[in-house]
Amino acid sequence: MPESHVTLTPLGGLGEIGMNCMALETEQSMILVDCGLMFPDVILYGVDVVIPRMDFIVSRKHKLKGIILTHGHEDHIGALAWLVPYLQEVPLYGSEFTLRLAMKRLQERTLDSHVKLHPVRARERVELGEFAVTFMPVCHSIIEGFGLGIETPAGRIVHTGDFKIDRNPQGGHATDLDAFAKFSSEGVLLMLSDSTNVEREGFSLTEQEIQDSLDEVFAEAKGRILVTLFATHIQRMQEIFDLAAKHGRRVAFTGRSLVTNIDVAKDLGHLRFNRENSCDMEELAYLDDDKIVILLTGSQGEPLSALSRVARSEHRQINIHKGDTVIMSSRFIPGNTRAITRVINDLYRHGASVLYEKVQAIHASGHAHKEELRIMLDTVHPKFFVPVHGEYRHLFKHAELAVSRGIAPERALILENGHPVTLSTSGIRLEEAVFAESILVDGKGVGDVGQSVLKERQILGGEGLVIVLLVQDEFGTIVFGPSIQSKGFIFEQHFSHILEDAKCIILDVMEGNPGCEAYKLEEKIRSSLRRFFRKVLERDPIVIPLIARV
């Protein structure tokens, strides 16, 4: 009888924070855990988002039994819009709130007909071909998140999802360790666990501590209170509404994603507020400053967000008043720090006081700290361990932590995207790598921006562009030009003599190569001008010669 096995192929989320996507497959069945995007580094000029490569999934779509969504953050659901056009009525499994957020994204692209929604409840078990998945509630910075207990022909797998262990959970938002322990009681072959905060000792702040800190801010604030947070942090929003009611204030909110998520959460009963502690933006003009709270987007300094426009005095409904208190109740995502501090500085210029995580306890991470990761390891006690959701150093340190909790060093595996691993009843083996290089999305272009285009954008950003235009008649006589235009290279009025010298170089090239074909002349002009600019200015712009013949 052939040995039972299951192969895990990470397509994103290992060696990086974001773009989470992992395929689990047997001979007959496949499931996908999450399908997220990642926001680009600053060096990816002009790129909108980064998504996993979908070829692996599409080539096996005949045995795809469903896509499991652990929770509704963009780095877990954001890439669905680029995958589902290649699938037909694929089943999506997740909590009601998670599926509502996913469907909103798909409806924006008229892709909602490509999926079938299957909302699941806490501790529910769903059979998907040769797999069965049990959904175990976890506490995170978004409501209705799940860890997964996955039954496979080779054995049991636990995927924690993004989680933390709140020691004093509010409103039932807790990680169900009993469910993890119950699923693990029959033995767990492999555990996949969130590694984001493995470098932070102890426990993360509890939501009660954040609420107490916010309560103090509300009590001391004399003017308006503006709060920016992640648009999916529904639990924190409820705390804001409750504190507003306690301190005699009313909450207005602005920002497209924020309004959308509030509508979804209120419709599902996760947000509770009424006219006594809320108001429309238009009503703010009739309220005293000490009666106002404004929820708005822009926690990461996004240029077009509500808070950024307020800081630049460009918002049509809100201007900063002297004495306003701005609460930035979210963490600074690496890469966004400069944009965020620019917004903070602008807010101070307008007379506001700004509170953020580094100066006051007004945000708690949604990811487990080291002690919480230990608790999860001890609860599940797996035979094999693979850290996920983190940069390489996070994966490495999480694997070390697993070894310190009794897992054999050779059984704590550090994988990267595209490195499959097969589990069987007799052991584990690494498979040949699959091509999993991420795809860059720029506008409507998907994957057309590669290294060569990025290199040109980097040069354009750092050195600029020079365009040379001249026209020859049929006898080779120059009838127009050479004309030189520069963009991002030099200020032409100050360096006009440089451009005049460049024109002389172009004329020398033309005179020295009579009868030469146009494309050869263009290449000679390009190389001559680049040498000249490097020698005179130590700059190396992109040079584009254009020779027309009439």
Side-chain angles (χ1 to χ4, degrees):
M1 186 173 178
E3 189 176 52
S4 298
H5 70 275
V6 59
T7 300
L8 284 73
T9 305
L11 300 171
L14 274 68
E16 63 210 356
I17 295 178
M19 209 171 65
N20 299 281
C21 187
M22 178 172 289
L24 288 78
E25 61 176 322
T26 62
E27 203 67 45
Q28 305 297 326
S29 306
M30 183 174 81
I31 60 174
L32 193 67
V33 176
D34 291 329
C35 188
L37 56 75
M38 184 168 62
F39 293 103
D41 290 334
V42 291
I43 61 171
L44 298 178
Y45 295 91
V47 171
D48 297 323
V49 295
V50 186
I51 61 174
R53 187 164 293 276
M54 307 296 185
D55 312 46
F56 182 89
I57 305 164
V58 174
S59 66
R60 292 162 171 77
K61 65 181 181 180
H62 60 282
K63 62 177 182 178
L64 179 62
K65 303 303 180 183
I67 300 175
I68 315 297
L69 303 177
T70 58
H71 64 279
H73 279 151
E74 287 292 313
D75 60 334
H76 292 260
I77 68 170
L80 284 171
W82 287 275
L83 173 61
V84 298
Y86 299 98
L87 309 174
Q88 286 299 321
E89 294 191 334
V90 60
L92 288 186
Y93 294 86
S95 67
E96 181 77 45
F97 183 69
T98 298
L99 294 182
R100 285 280 194 99
L101 294 185
M103 185 57 80
K104 285 279 187 183
R105 306 298 186 273
L106 296 176
Q107 285 172 341
E108 290 171 359
R109 296 170 178 259
T110 62
L111 295 171
D112 44 307
S113 62
H114 289 262
V115 298
K116 285 186 176 180
L117 303 186
H118 296 271
V120 295
R121 299 180 302 275
R123 296 199 178 193
E124 185 174 345
R125 182 178 180 273
V126 176
E127 294 186 3
L128 299 167
E130 294 184 277
F131 297 95
V133 181
T134 300
F135 294 83
M136 301 178 287
V138 293
C139 178
H140 187 43
S141 55
I142 188 172
I143 57 173
E144 290 195 352
F146 286 128
L148 309 174
I150 306 171
E151 298 167 54
T152 79
R156 294 191 164 206
I157 296 173
V158 166
H159 190 307
T160 66
D162 290 3
F163 81 100
K164 64 182 284 187
I165 299 174
D166 195 319
R167 293 157 291 159
N168 188 13
Q170 304 294 299
H173 300 291
T175 294
D176 191 347
L177 288 175
D178 289 341
F180 280 91
K182 181 179 179 181
F183 181 84
S184 305
S185 61
E186 298 183 29
V188 169
L189 181 61
L190 171 68
M191 174 177 168
L192 307 159
S193 185
D194 175 11
S195 307
T196 308
N197 275 343
V198 68
E199 295 178 310
R200 297 190 179 188
E201 296 291 338
F203 289 86
S204 58
L205 288 172
T206 67
E207 201 59 36
Q208 181 62 58
E209 290 173 296
I210 302 304
Q211 187 169 346
D212 292 343
S213 183
L214 290 172
D215 194 4
E216 292 178 10
V217 175
F218 272 63
E220 295 173 3
K222 304 301 181 186
R224 299 182 309 175
I225 299 174
L226 286 73
V227 184
T228 180
L229 37 60
F230 291 128
T232 52
H233 206 324
I234 303 301
Q235 185 180 0
R236 188 76 47 78
M237 292 180 203
Q238 185 63 62
E239 293 165 14
I240 299 299
F241 280 107
D242 293 343
L243 288 171
K246 176 181 177 181
H247 293 277
R249 292 175 179 261
R250 297 174 70 185
V251 182
F253 39 89
T254 181
R256 181 185 173 194
S257 58
L258 195 66
V259 171
T260 297
N261 293 349
I262 286 176
D263 288 344
V264 170
K266 195 170 192 296
D267 186 48
L268 293 174
H270 295 301
L271 261 182
R272 299 168 303 281
F273 58 89
N274 52 42
R275 292 296 299 172
E276 292 181 5
N277 66 338
S278 68
C279 66
D280 296 329
M281 292 295 296
E282 290 74 17
E283 298 177 65
L284 295 179
Y286 305 102
L287 296 174
D288 294 334
D289 281 4
D290 61 356
K291 302 298 181 186
I292 294 173
V293 177
I294 303 172
L295 275 175
L296 67 172
T297 54
S299 64
Q300 300 306 307
E302 304 95 321
L304 299 180
S305 67
L307 184 63
S308 293
R309 287 184 284 123
V310 168
R312 298 193 304 265
S313 300
E314 295 176 359
H315 196 284
R316 64 183 181 87
Q317 292 175 302
I318 308 170
N319 287 311
I320 291 295
H321 297 177
K322 189 173 180 61
D324 283 351
T325 299
V326 179
I327 300 172
M328 305 188 77
S329 188
S330 61
R331 73 184 181 97
F332 291 11
I333 294 177
N336 296 342
T337 304
R338 183 174 295 178
I340 297 170
T341 53
R342 185 182 301 118
V343 170
I344 292 173
N345 288 329
D346 287 342
L347 291 169
Y348 270 108
R349 286 190 180 98
H350 291 300
S353 175
V354 187
L355 304 177
Y356 44 97
E357 186 179 14
K358 290 183 179 179
V359 299
Q360 191 152 346
I362 55 173
H363 176 65
S365 173
H367 299 274
H369 286 204
K370 202 168 189 177
E371 192 59 39
E372 299 159 78
L373 296 175
R374 285 195 188 99
I375 291 172
M376 184 61 80
L377 280 162
D378 292 344
T379 300
V380 176
H381 197 64
K383 183 177 181 180
F384 293 94
F385 178 75
V386 172
V388 297
H389 200 294
E391 297 174 8
Y392 193 87
R393 72 179 189 280
H394 300 131
L395 307 183
F396 183 88
K397 292 179 180 180
H398 202 175
E400 284 187 326
L401 179 64
V403 171
S404 75
R405 305 313 296 168
I407 294 176
E410 65 274 12
R411 292 178 176 172
L413 308 176
I414 300 176
L415 302 180
E416 293 190 83
N417 297 336
H419 290 179
V421 61
T422 294
L423 303 164
S424 66
T425 48
S426 64
I428 191 168
R429 70 173 183 269
L430 299 176
E431 304 288 358
E432 287 290 324
V434 301
F435 186 56
E437 183 179 318
S438 56
I439 295 176
L440 307 180
V441 178
D442 184 0
K444 292 186 177 180
V446 181
D448 59 312
V449 175
Q451 288 304 314
S452 59
V453 174
L454 286 175
K455 182 64 176 176
E456 288 180 351
R457 290 182 180 183
Q458 290 169 9
I459 295 172
L460 283 169
E463 304 288 350
L465 170 71
V466 173
I467 299 174
V468 176
L469 176 63
L470 59 85
V471 180
Q472 290 179 306
D473 63 17
E474 57 184 318
F475 305 109
T477 303
I478 297 175
V479 296
F480 175 81
S483 170
I484 299 179
Q485 295 285 324
S486 82
K487 299 294 180 184
F489 172 51
I490 58 174
F491 184 50
E492 295 183 10
Q493 292 181 3
H494 287 179
F495 288 93
S496 57
H497 61 286
I498 297 290
L499 298 184
E500 290 302 320
D501 290 345
K503 290 178 182 179
C504 293
I505 292 172
I506 296 167
L507 293 173
D508 288 344
V509 171
M510 299 296 292
E511 291 175 6
N513 297 273
C516 190
E517 295 180 66
Y519 78 92
K520 291 182 179 179
L521 280 174
E522 289 173 350
E523 186 54 44
K524 289 178 183 293
I525 290 171
R526 178 184 295 109
S527 58
S528 297
L529 288 185
R530 288 185 64 190
R531 281 195 302 270
F532 170 67
F533 292 139
R534 281 197 297 265
K535 179 180 178 181
V536 175
L537 295 174
E538 295 185 355
R539 299 180 190 176
D540 192 9
I542 290 179
V543 178
I544 302 178
L546 299 172
I547 299 177
R549 287 183 170 166
V550 294

